[in-house]
Amino acid sequence: MADTVLFEFLHTEMVAELWAHDPDPGPGVSAGSRGEEVGATTGQKMSLSVLEGMGFRVGQALGERLPREMLAFREELDVLKFLCKDLWVAVFQKQMDSLRTNHQGTYVLQDNSFPLLLPMASGLQYLEEAPKFLAFTCGLLRGALCTLGIESVVTASVAALPVCKFQVVIPKS
Amino acid sequence: MADTVLFEFLHTEMVAELWAHDPDPGPGVSAGSRGEEVGATTGQKMSLSVLEGMGFRVGQALGERLPREMLAFREELDVLKFLCKDLWVAVFQKQMDSLRTNHQGTYVLQDNSFPLLLPMASGLQYLEEAPKFLAFTCGLLRGALCTLGIESVVTASVAALPVCKFQVVIPKS
């Protein structure tokens, strides 16, 4: 029962805690405010970076728990498919809804009902609140990829809640 | 696969993050140090309090997810048994090992291999590190009890890793 939502509850508390202790809320924006501007302050950028870093280390650790035979992926695309299926199910109990690529190292992973955004109202109303609920997961993807031997840059964007796109860019080596 | 350890990884990162940003490490103790004294500094006490608070809110939320019929407990002891079985399994995939009471509102819940202490070596070596890995769970128990209508004080003690005792004191109303 509760175990499937434990991660989501803890993630919510973690985001709230990091925002509440925002060390530099900047002029005109009170710490922990629910109405901060889209342009993040220094403190908020640091909080995003902290969340991304935590996600990265959790992703690395999760990656190390993968069965050995799964580590022998043939191609980059196989690894991305693995993240969209196995990793997503392990963390969010659902698969990613779509995966697209330009075959040049850029992948767009789309989740049409991203669980960490679901508690918010749908639509545009709380769009500016979205970034802090995405940073951990960006790190999670980057960390899992890192354990699988792929350096990447992962960003996320939201056009309308709760649809979320993660862009994974893998520099050509 | 990964979902059962996700909570543990995230908990570990959360503790590490709060300790790394210890705002007041006190004289002679460097921030994020792995060798801080048992006597907690102000910053560490605040971190423990933050962890306990996060645990409390997660426990409250978990409590609200419980099936309705479970909320009709006859006696206090039934509620404690429920925590030792269902809640513990939901969070840690195991039951508490023993539950004792003096029948006057004090309960001692013992876990002989508490999962959040398992990554540390057994015995006495890292005993002084234990409190920061217990605060969240103390809050979790207090929060779940609160949702079930019971105000309590929850503390934890460790005599030898990874054995852990949680003491729940319920003031007579």
Side-chain angles (χ1 to χ4, degrees), chain A residues 57-125:
Chain A
R57 291 184 295 277
V58 170
Q60 272 190 315
L62 284 183
E64 285 163 9
R65 300 279 295 215
L66 303 178
R68 291 281 166 191
E69 65 266 30
M70 287 189 182
L71 295 176
F73 293 111
R74 291 286 170 81
E75 294 181 23
E76 215 172 76
L77 186 58
D78 293 331
V79 177
L80 269 295
K81 282 181 183 169
F82 172 77
L83 297 187
C84 290
K85 290 181 183 175
D86 301 71
L87 182 80
W88 223 244
V89 168
V91 177
F92 298 113
Q93 291 84 46
K94 72 184 290 287
Q95 290 192 17
M96 193 77 82
D97 290 296
S98 74
L99 168 62
R100 286 178 299 155
T101 177
N102 65 354
H103 297 288
Q104 297 190 335
T106 297
Y107 299 84
V108 176
L109 295 67
Q110 180 166 330
D111 191 326
N112 293 330
S113 55
F114 184 54
L116 300 181
L117 292 177
L118 276 183
M120 289 194 268
S122 295
L124 302 172
Q125 195 180 359

Side-chain angles (χ1 to χ4, degrees), chain A residues 142-165:
Chain A
R142 191 168 69 84
L145 280 167
C146 176
T147 295
L148 295 167
I150 296 176
E151 294 296 323
S152 63
V153 176
V154 181
T155 52
S157 62
V158 177
L161 296 165
V163 183
C164 180
K165 285 183 188 176

Side-chain angles (χ1 to χ4, degrees), chain A residues 1-3 5-7 9-10 13-14 17 21 46 50 54 57-58 61-62 65-66 90-91 93 136, chain B residues 1-3 5-7 9-11 13-14 17 21 46 50 54 57-58 61-62 65-66 90-91 136:
Chain A
M1 52 134 220
D3 44 359
V5 292
L6 184 60
F7 163 71
F9 290 157
L10 189 51
E13 285 306 319
M14 208 169 60
E17 186 56 44
H21 288 243
M46 203 182 83
V50 165
M54 293 173 78
R57 291 184 295 277
V58 170
L62 284 183
R65 300 279 295 215
L66 303 178
V91 177
Q93 291 84 46
F136 180 87
Chain B
M1 52 134 220
D3 44 0
V5 292
L6 184 60
F7 164 70
F9 289 156
L10 188 52
H11 179 272
E13 286 304 319
M14 210 169 59
E17 187 55 45
H21 288 242
M46 203 183 82
V50 166
M54 292 173 76
R57 289 184 297 276
V58 171
L62 285 183
R65 299 278 296 215
L66 304 178
V91 177
F136 180 86

